[in-house]
Amino acid sequence: MRKSILVIAVVLLVFALSAQAVTVDWVTVGNPGNATDDTGYGGVDYEYRIGKYEVTAGQYTEFLNAVAATDTYGLYNTNMGDISSSSKGCNIQRSGTSGSYSYSVAADWANRPVNQVSWYDTLRFANWLHNGQP
């Protein structure tokens, strides 16, 4: 469930990224004016863009290194580093102390989907992408 939330948040982004540390492949979705289904949902009167793939552990690690040296907002979940079962972490490790935290992910885990993120984490990630990855 938490992994899906990050995908949903990336859907909120309706812009193209220029050359930056994290790139996202986008797909345009839309059939402006299409009718709603029998539940009353599904109609879209505009085009939008969605990430073609799930956000990876490597991409999220780049984000953490850019904004979470102190990790004021708890963007890193210690379960991310726990790989004792497939439902646990994504092998993102944190080192250092608050104010100088750094994050890494093993090369063979970098292209796997990130997990253990909250709705608020996804919003911050989307905001970071939207604002040029400061």
Side-chain angles (χ1 to χ4, degrees), residues 2 60 64 68 70-78 80 94 103 116-118 120-121 124:
R2 298 180 119 205
Y60 197 78
L64 289 172
T70 303
D71 201 17
T72 303
Y73 301 106
L75 300 170
Y76 178 77
N77 180 326
T78 56
M80 289 177 173
R94 176 164 72 183
Y103 305 86
Q116 302 296 330
V117 294
S118 73
Y120 297 105
D121 300 341
R124 290 196 177 279

Side-chain angles (χ1 to χ4, degrees), residues 7-15 26 49-50 119 123 126 130:
V7 173
I8 291 167
V10 172
V11 169
L12 300 173
L13 303 174
V14 187
F15 60 91
W26 300 99
R49 297 181 66 180
I50 184 173
W119 171 248
L123 295 176
H130 181 73

Side-chain angles (χ1 to χ4, degrees), residues 67-117:
V67 304
T70 303
D71 201 17
T72 303
Y73 301 106
L75 300 170
Y76 178 77
N77 180 326
T78 56
N79 288 329
M80 289 177 173
D82 182 356
I83 57 171
S84 62
S85 75
S86 61
S87 64
K88 294 277 185 171
C90 50
N91 207 5
I92 297 176
Q93 305 295 323
R94 176 164 72 183
S95 59
T97 58
S98 183
S100 62
Y101 286 136
S102 64
Y103 305 86
S104 62
V105 62
D108 57 336
W109 286 74
N111 289 323
R112 297 182 189 191
V114 69
N115 59 8
Q116 302 296 330
V117 294

Side-chain angles (χ1 to χ4, degrees), residues 8-77:
I8 291 167
V10 172
V11 169
L12 300 173
L13 303 174
V14 187
F15 60 91
L17 294 173
S18 57
Q20 297 168 336
V22 172
T23 59
V24 174
D25 291 330
W26 300 99
V27 176
T28 300
V29 177
N31 182 8
N34 67 320
T36 60
D37 61 19
D38 59 358
T39 66
Y41 296 101
V44 179
D45 60 358
Y46 55 90
E47 286 188 347
Y48 62 95
R49 297 181 66 180
I50 184 173
K52 186 173 183 178
Y53 306 104
E54 295 176 299
V55 174
T56 67
Q59 291 170 319
Y60 197 78
T61 300
E62 291 286 335
F63 165 64
L64 289 172
N65 279 315
V67 304
T70 303
D71 201 17
T72 303
Y73 301 106
L75 300 170
Y76 178 77
N77 180 326

